[in-house]
Amino acid sequence: MVWQLDFWLLALLVVTAVVALQVRDLLAAVAVLTAYSFFMALLFAEMGAVDVALTEAALGAGVTGVLFVVAIFVTRRRSKD
Amino acid sequence: MIQKHESIVIQVVARALVPLILLFGVYVIVFGHYGPGGGFQGGVILATGVILHRLCLGRDFSHRTLPPGLAGGAAIAGLLLFGLMGIVPMVFGGAFLDYAHLPLPGYSTVDLRYLGIGIVEVAIGLAVMGASVVIFDSLAGGDSDA
Protein backbone atom coordinates (compact mmCIF):
# COMPACT_ATOMS: atom_id res chain seq x y z
CA MET A 1 0.00 0.00 0.00
CA VAL A 2 1.24 3.43 -0.99
CA TRP A 3 -0.56 6.05 1.05
CA GLN A 4 -0.09 8.82 -1.49
CA LEU A 5 -1.84 6.75 -4.16
CA ASP A 6 -4.59 5.83 -1.69
CA PHE A 7 -5.05 9.48 -0.78
CA TRP A 8 -5.41 10.72 -4.35
CA LEU A 9 -7.68 7.85 -5.34
CA LEU A 10 -9.93 8.57 -2.34
CA ALA A 11 -9.95 12.28 -3.18
CA LEU A 12 -10.97 11.47 -6.76
CA LEU A 13 -13.68 9.15 -5.39
CA VAL A 14 -15.16 11.93 -3.28
CA VAL A 15 -14.99 14.42 -6.16
CA THR A 16 -16.66 12.06 -8.65
CA ALA A 17 -19.34 11.08 -6.10
CA VAL A 18 -20.23 14.72 -5.39
CA VAL A 19 -20.26 15.58 -9.11
CA ALA A 20 -22.48 12.57 -9.88
CA LEU A 21 -24.94 13.74 -7.23
CA GLN A 22 -24.95 17.39 -8.23
CA VAL A 23 -24.99 17.35 -12.02
CA ARG A 24 -28.41 17.95 -13.62
CA ASP A 25 -27.84 16.06 -16.88
CA LEU A 26 -28.48 12.40 -16.05
CA LEU A 27 -26.31 11.14 -18.91
CA ALA A 28 -23.36 13.08 -17.51
CA ALA A 29 -24.21 11.69 -14.07
CA VAL A 30 -23.99 8.15 -15.45
CA ALA A 31 -20.62 8.90 -17.05
CA VAL A 32 -19.28 10.32 -13.77
CA LEU A 33 -20.68 7.35 -11.86
CA THR A 34 -18.82 5.03 -14.24
CA ALA A 35 -15.63 6.96 -13.51
CA TYR A 36 -16.42 6.58 -9.79
CA SER A 37 -16.68 2.80 -10.22
CA PHE A 38 -13.40 2.76 -12.11
CA PHE A 39 -11.56 4.67 -9.37
CA MET A 40 -13.17 2.34 -6.82
CA ALA A 41 -11.83 -0.65 -8.77
CA LEU A 42 -8.35 0.92 -8.86
CA LEU A 43 -8.53 1.48 -5.11
CA PHE A 44 -9.60 -2.12 -4.47
CA ALA A 45 -6.80 -3.43 -6.68
CA GLU A 46 -4.25 -1.19 -4.99
CA MET A 47 -5.37 -2.45 -1.58
CA GLY A 48 -4.91 -6.05 -2.68
CA ALA A 49 -8.54 -7.12 -3.15
CA VAL A 50 -8.07 -8.13 -6.78
CA ASP A 51 -11.22 -10.25 -6.92
CA VAL A 52 -13.44 -7.42 -5.72
CA ALA A 53 -11.65 -5.05 -8.09
CA LEU A 54 -12.41 -7.32 -11.04
CA THR A 55 -16.07 -7.47 -10.05
CA GLU A 56 -16.27 -3.70 -9.60
CA ALA A 57 -14.56 -3.03 -12.92
CA ALA A 58 -16.76 -5.44 -14.85
CA LEU A 59 -20.06 -4.71 -13.13
CA GLY A 60 -19.81 -1.13 -11.89
CA ALA A 61 -17.89 0.37 -14.78
CA GLY A 62 -19.35 -1.90 -17.45
CA VAL A 63 -22.83 -3.31 -17.25
CA THR A 64 -24.60 -0.91 -14.86
CA GLY A 65 -23.44 2.10 -16.89
CA VAL A 66 -24.96 0.61 -20.04
CA LEU A 67 -28.17 -0.29 -18.22
CA PHE A 68 -28.46 3.26 -16.80
CA VAL A 69 -27.92 4.76 -20.26
CA VAL A 70 -30.61 2.50 -21.73
CA ALA A 71 -32.97 3.46 -18.89
CA ILE A 72 -32.32 7.16 -19.59
CA PHE A 73 -33.09 6.68 -23.29
CA VAL A 74 -36.35 4.99 -22.40
CA THR A 75 -37.29 7.79 -19.96
CA ARG A 76 -36.15 11.45 -19.75
CA ARG A 77 -32.67 12.92 -19.73
CA ARG A 78 -33.13 15.90 -17.39
CA SER A 79 -33.38 15.58 -13.65
CA LYS A 80 -36.26 17.33 -11.93
CA ASP A 81 -34.56 18.00 -8.59
CA MET B 1 -34.40 1.85 -30.37
CA ILE B 2 -31.02 0.39 -31.19
CA GLN B 3 -29.92 0.84 -34.78
CA LYS B 4 -26.65 -0.05 -36.40
CA HIS B 5 -24.10 2.62 -35.62
CA GLU B 6 -23.37 4.70 -38.73
CA SER B 7 -19.62 4.97 -38.19
CA ILE B 8 -17.69 2.26 -40.01
CA VAL B 9 -14.83 2.59 -37.50
CA ILE B 10 -17.06 1.67 -34.58
CA GLN B 11 -18.55 -1.26 -36.48
CA VAL B 12 -15.16 -2.68 -37.43
CA VAL B 13 -13.71 -2.17 -33.95
CA ALA B 14 -16.75 -3.80 -32.37
CA ARG B 15 -16.52 -6.76 -34.72
CA ALA B 16 -12.84 -7.17 -33.87
CA LEU B 17 -13.28 -6.63 -30.13
CA VAL B 18 -16.31 -8.81 -29.34
CA PRO B 19 -14.58 -12.20 -29.84
CA LEU B 20 -11.63 -11.06 -27.70
CA ILE B 21 -13.96 -9.91 -24.90
CA LEU B 22 -15.85 -13.21 -25.01
CA LEU B 23 -12.56 -15.12 -24.96
CA PHE B 24 -11.38 -13.10 -21.95
CA GLY B 25 -14.67 -13.85 -20.19
CA VAL B 26 -14.20 -17.58 -20.73
CA TYR B 27 -10.61 -17.24 -19.47
CA VAL B 28 -11.78 -15.47 -16.29
CA ILE B 29 -14.37 -18.19 -15.64
CA VAL B 30 -11.95 -21.07 -16.17
CA PHE B 31 -9.05 -19.39 -14.35
CA GLY B 32 -11.21 -18.76 -11.28
CA HIS B 33 -9.59 -21.63 -9.35
CA TYR B 34 -6.11 -20.21 -9.51
CA GLY B 35 -6.41 -16.47 -9.41
CA PRO B 36 -8.84 -13.58 -9.30
CA GLY B 37 -11.95 -14.24 -11.27
CA GLY B 38 -14.66 -16.81 -11.27
CA GLY B 39 -18.11 -17.48 -12.56
CA PHE B 40 -19.73 -14.18 -11.66
CA GLN B 41 -17.02 -11.89 -13.02
CA GLY B 42 -16.54 -13.97 -16.15
CA GLY B 43 -20.27 -14.06 -16.76
CA VAL B 44 -20.47 -10.28 -16.49
CA ILE B 45 -17.58 -9.91 -18.94
CA LEU B 46 -19.32 -12.27 -21.38
CA ALA B 47 -22.49 -10.18 -21.01
CA THR B 48 -20.57 -6.97 -21.77
CA GLY B 49 -19.30 -8.56 -24.97
CA VAL B 50 -22.81 -9.45 -26.08
CA ILE B 51 -24.14 -6.00 -25.10
CA LEU B 52 -21.34 -4.31 -27.11
CA HIS B 53 -22.40 -6.41 -30.08
CA ARG B 54 -26.03 -5.33 -29.58
CA LEU B 55 -25.12 -1.65 -29.23
CA CYS B 56 -22.72 -1.25 -32.13
CA LEU B 57 -24.04 -3.61 -34.79
CA GLY B 58 -27.74 -2.98 -34.44
CA ARG B 59 -30.58 -4.99 -32.99
CA ASP B 60 -31.58 -6.85 -36.15
CA PHE B 61 -28.13 -8.18 -37.00
CA SER B 62 -27.25 -8.86 -33.38
CA HIS B 63 -30.47 -10.72 -32.67
CA ARG B 64 -29.82 -12.90 -35.71
CA THR B 65 -26.23 -13.66 -34.65
CA LEU B 66 -26.79 -14.01 -30.90
CA PRO B 67 -30.53 -14.64 -30.44
CA PRO B 68 -32.18 -13.34 -27.25
CA GLY B 69 -33.74 -16.75 -26.68
CA LEU B 70 -30.25 -18.17 -26.44
CA ALA B 71 -29.45 -15.81 -23.54
CA GLY B 72 -32.58 -16.86 -21.65
CA GLY B 73 -31.74 -20.47 -22.39
CA ALA B 74 -28.20 -19.95 -21.06
CA ALA B 75 -29.58 -18.45 -17.85
CA ILE B 76 -31.95 -21.35 -17.31
CA ALA B 77 -29.31 -23.92 -18.23
CA GLY B 78 -26.85 -22.38 -15.79
CA LEU B 79 -29.41 -22.38 -12.99
CA LEU B 80 -30.37 -26.00 -13.69
CA LEU B 81 -26.72 -27.10 -13.90
CA PHE B 82 -25.97 -25.41 -10.56
CA GLY B 83 -29.00 -27.06 -8.96
CA LEU B 84 -28.02 -30.40 -10.41
CA MET B 85 -24.49 -30.09 -9.04
CA GLY B 86 -26.03 -29.37 -5.65
CA ILE B 87 -28.71 -32.06 -5.65
CA VAL B 88 -26.81 -35.02 -7.14
CA PRO B 89 -24.28 -35.29 -4.25
CA MET B 90 -27.23 -35.16 -1.82
CA VAL B 91 -28.81 -38.13 -3.59
CA PHE B 92 -25.56 -40.08 -3.27
CA GLY B 93 -25.14 -39.48 0.44
CA GLY B 94 -23.33 -36.16 0.74
CA ALA B 95 -24.32 -32.62 1.60
CA PHE B 96 -25.52 -29.91 -0.80
CA LEU B 97 -22.71 -29.08 -3.28
CA ASP B 98 -20.51 -31.77 -1.71
CA TYR B 99 -18.63 -32.67 -4.88
CA ALA B 100 -16.76 -35.55 -3.28
CA HIS B 101 -19.94 -37.63 -3.52
CA LEU B 102 -20.45 -37.15 -7.25
CA PRO B 103 -21.16 -40.55 -8.81
CA LEU B 104 -18.20 -40.60 -11.21
CA PRO B 105 -16.14 -43.78 -10.97
CA GLY B 106 -12.41 -43.64 -11.40
CA TYR B 107 -11.86 -40.19 -9.88
CA SER B 108 -10.19 -39.52 -6.55
CA THR B 109 -11.86 -37.21 -4.02
CA VAL B 110 -9.48 -34.38 -4.88
CA ASP B 111 -10.19 -34.70 -8.59
CA LEU B 112 -13.93 -34.80 -7.93
CA ARG B 113 -13.80 -31.57 -5.92
CA TYR B 114 -11.64 -29.95 -8.62
CA LEU B 115 -14.07 -31.00 -11.36
CA GLY B 116 -17.12 -30.03 -9.32
CA ILE B 117 -16.04 -26.48 -8.59
CA GLY B 118 -15.13 -26.05 -12.26
CA ILE B 119 -18.58 -27.14 -13.40
CA VAL B 120 -20.23 -24.90 -10.80
CA GLU B 121 -18.20 -21.90 -11.99
CA VAL B 122 -19.27 -22.56 -15.58
CA ALA B 123 -22.90 -22.83 -14.41
CA ILE B 124 -22.70 -19.52 -12.54
CA GLY B 125 -21.07 -17.87 -15.55
CA LEU B 126 -23.84 -19.08 -17.87
CA ALA B 127 -26.56 -17.93 -15.48
CA VAL B 128 -25.05 -14.46 -14.92
CA MET B 129 -24.34 -13.91 -18.62
CA GLY B 130 -27.82 -14.97 -19.65
CA ALA B 131 -29.57 -12.95 -16.96
CA SER B 132 -27.60 -9.77 -17.72
CA VAL B 133 -28.28 -10.02 -21.46
CA VAL B 134 -31.97 -10.72 -20.79
CA ILE B 135 -32.17 -7.61 -18.57
CA PHE B 136 -30.54 -5.53 -21.31
CA ASP B 137 -32.80 -6.96 -24.02
CA SER B 138 -35.98 -6.38 -22.07
CA LEU B 139 -34.90 -2.79 -21.27
CA ALA B 140 -33.82 -1.92 -24.81
CA GLY B 141 -35.90 -4.32 -26.84
CA GLY B 142 -39.13 -2.33 -26.76
CA ASP B 143 -40.34 -0.69 -29.96
CA SER B 144 -40.23 2.83 -28.47
CA ASP B 145 -37.71 4.90 -30.38
CA ALA B 146 -37.42 7.72 -27.83
Side-chain angles (χ1 to χ4, degrees):
Chain A
M1 272 175 62
V2 187
W3 76 265
Q4 290 91 346
L5 191 56
D6 277 352
F7 175 79
W8 287 110
L9 281 176
L10 280 169
L12 278 171
L13 265 185
V14 173
V15 168
T16 48
V18 170
V19 169
L21 281 176
Q22 291 298 321
V23 74
R24 300 298 282 271
D25 188 350
L26 288 179
L27 204 57
V30 169
V32 178
L33 199 66
T34 309
Y36 172 87
S37 285
F38 183 67
F39 287 128
M40 194 65 137
L42 281 183
L43 194 64
F44 281 142
E46 198 271 333
M47 287 182 163
V50 190
D51 215 356
V52 190
L54 194 54
T55 311
E56 181 73 32
L59 199 62
V63 175
T64 51
V66 174
L67 291 183
F68 278 140
V69 169
V70 171
I72 286 172
F73 272 115
V74 176
T75 58
R76 273 192 316 276
R77 185 168 167 180
R78 303 297 299 184
S79 168
K80 279 276 180 64
D81 50 12
Chain B
M1 78 172 253
I2 296 177
Q3 280 97 32
K4 195 174 187 173
H5 201 282
E6 59 265 22
S7 164
I8 187 76
V9 176
I10 287 183
Q11 286 180 31
V12 170
V13 169
R15 275 171 198 263
L17 215 53
V18 166
L20 295 178
I21 293 175
L22 295 182
L23 186 66
F24 181 65
V26 171
Y27 165 76
V28 168
I29 290 178
V30 177
F31 195 69
H33 305 29
Y34 307 109
F40 187 81
Q41 290 92 330
V44 171
I45 294 174
L46 286 179
T48 50
V50 178
I51 289 174
L52 180 71
H53 196 266
R54 292 265 200 278
L55 281 178
C56 296
L57 299 178
R59 193 171 65 192
D60 297 335
F61 177 75
S62 184
H63 279 196
R64 249 184 294 129
T65 318
L66 303 158
L70 205 65
I76 295 168
L79 187 66
L80 286 180
L81 188 58
F82 185 85
L84 201 70
M85 288 299 290
I87 297 293
V88 167
M90 285 176 84
V91 173
F92 287 89
F96 190 70
L97 289 175
D98 189 359
Y99 316 121
H101 288 85
L102 281 175
L104 293 173
Y107 282 97
S108 67
T109 306
V110 176
D111 285 346
L112 276 177
R113 290 196 192 281
Y114 187 80
L115 192 68
I117 192 67
I119 295 175
V120 163
E121 295 277 13
V122 170
I124 294 172
L126 276 177
V128 171
M129 186 266 268
S132 306
V133 174
V134 163
I135 291 172
F136 176 80
D137 280 343
S138 49
L139 268 178
D143 47 5
S144 71
D145 49 351

